[in-house]
């Protein structure tokens, strides 16, 4: 399958499930969070880049649509897409699919802000990063 890059691949463990033997909400959030950091690294938002630019990232909104229940032993894949990188905002989307069936299991859309770690206030993303991402994706809003 071609499409957005894979940013997470893993499996559902029994310890991640709720009383109905489905992947619990906290585990969905954790898997999407792991995908986020892989996605950010692909964009150049590495720990080294953030530290050297006095930059942090603050999640301000996350919307998850649960479409099917995952159970212990299910293998899943998350693919991530940039929606917007402009000013101090980055919006992106994760799509979680079942590795065996290809069915979409959940979709998360997130908004984060660029933060100046010294002042603890939002600020624009460094221009060199924005330019690099635009070259990677073919524009500001892919």
């Amino acid at each position: 399958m071609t499409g957005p890059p894979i940013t997470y691949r893993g499996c559902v463990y029994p310890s991640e499930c709720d009383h109905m033997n489905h992947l619990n909400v906290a585990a969905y959030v954790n898997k999407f969070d792991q995908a986020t950091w892989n996605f950010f690294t692909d964009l150049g938002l590495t720990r080294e880049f953030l530290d050297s630019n006095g930059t942090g990232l603050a999640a301000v909104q996350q919307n998850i649509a649960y479409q099917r229940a995952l159970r212990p032993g299910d293998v899943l894949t998350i693919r991530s897409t940039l929606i917007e990188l402009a000013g101090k905002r980055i919006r992106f989307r994760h799509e979680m699919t079942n590795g065996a069936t290809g069915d979409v299991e959940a979709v998360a859309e997130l908004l984060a802000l660029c933060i100046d770690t010294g002042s603890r206030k939002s600020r624009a993303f460094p221009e060199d990063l924005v330019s690099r991402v635009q070259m990677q994706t073919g524009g500001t809003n892919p």
Side-chain angles (χ1 to χ4, degrees), residues 62-75:
Q62 178 170 297
N63 297 309
I64 301 176
Y66 304 99
Q67 298 179 5
R68 291 183 173 79
L70 288 163
R71 297 181 169 265
D74 284 343
V75 172

Side-chain angles (χ1 to χ4, degrees), residues 76-95:
L76 59 99
T77 300
I78 298 175
R79 293 177 180 271
S80 305
T81 306
L82 181 65
I83 298 170
E84 173 188 31
L85 175 63
K88 55 187 163 185
R89 300 166 44 106
I90 183 168
R91 286 188 327 119
F92 52 99
R93 179 180 194 272
H94 296 306
E95 186 174 272

Side-chain angles (χ1 to χ4, degrees), residues 12-115:
V12 176
Y13 293 96
S15 62
E16 298 173 313
C17 293
D18 61 20
H19 65 289
M20 295 189 311
N21 211 29
H22 298 156
L23 185 64
N24 70 39
V25 172
Y28 276 97
V29 172
N30 180 274
K31 291 175 186 305
F32 282 131
D33 187 58
Q34 291 181 51
T36 294
W37 287 103
N38 286 308
F39 182 59
F40 283 170
T41 296
D42 291 347
L43 294 177
L45 287 164
T46 62
R47 170 59 41 216
E48 295 76 21
F49 179 86
L50 295 171
D51 288 347
S52 67
N53 284 280
T55 300
L57 296 163
V60 295
Q61 185 175 0
Q62 178 170 297
N63 297 309
I64 301 176
Y66 304 99
Q67 298 179 5
R68 291 183 173 79
L70 288 163
R71 297 181 169 265
D74 284 343
V75 172
L76 59 99
T77 300
I78 298 175
R79 293 177 180 271
S80 305
T81 306
L82 181 65
I83 298 170
E84 173 188 31
L85 175 63
K88 55 187 163 185
R89 300 166 44 106
I90 183 168
R91 286 188 327 119
F92 52 99
R93 179 180 194 272
H94 296 306
E95 186 174 272
M96 179 185 290
T97 57
N98 184 303
T101 66
D103 291 338
V104 175
E105 304 291 347
V107 176
E109 193 168 308
L110 297 96
L111 170 65
L113 297 180
C114 182
I115 302 294

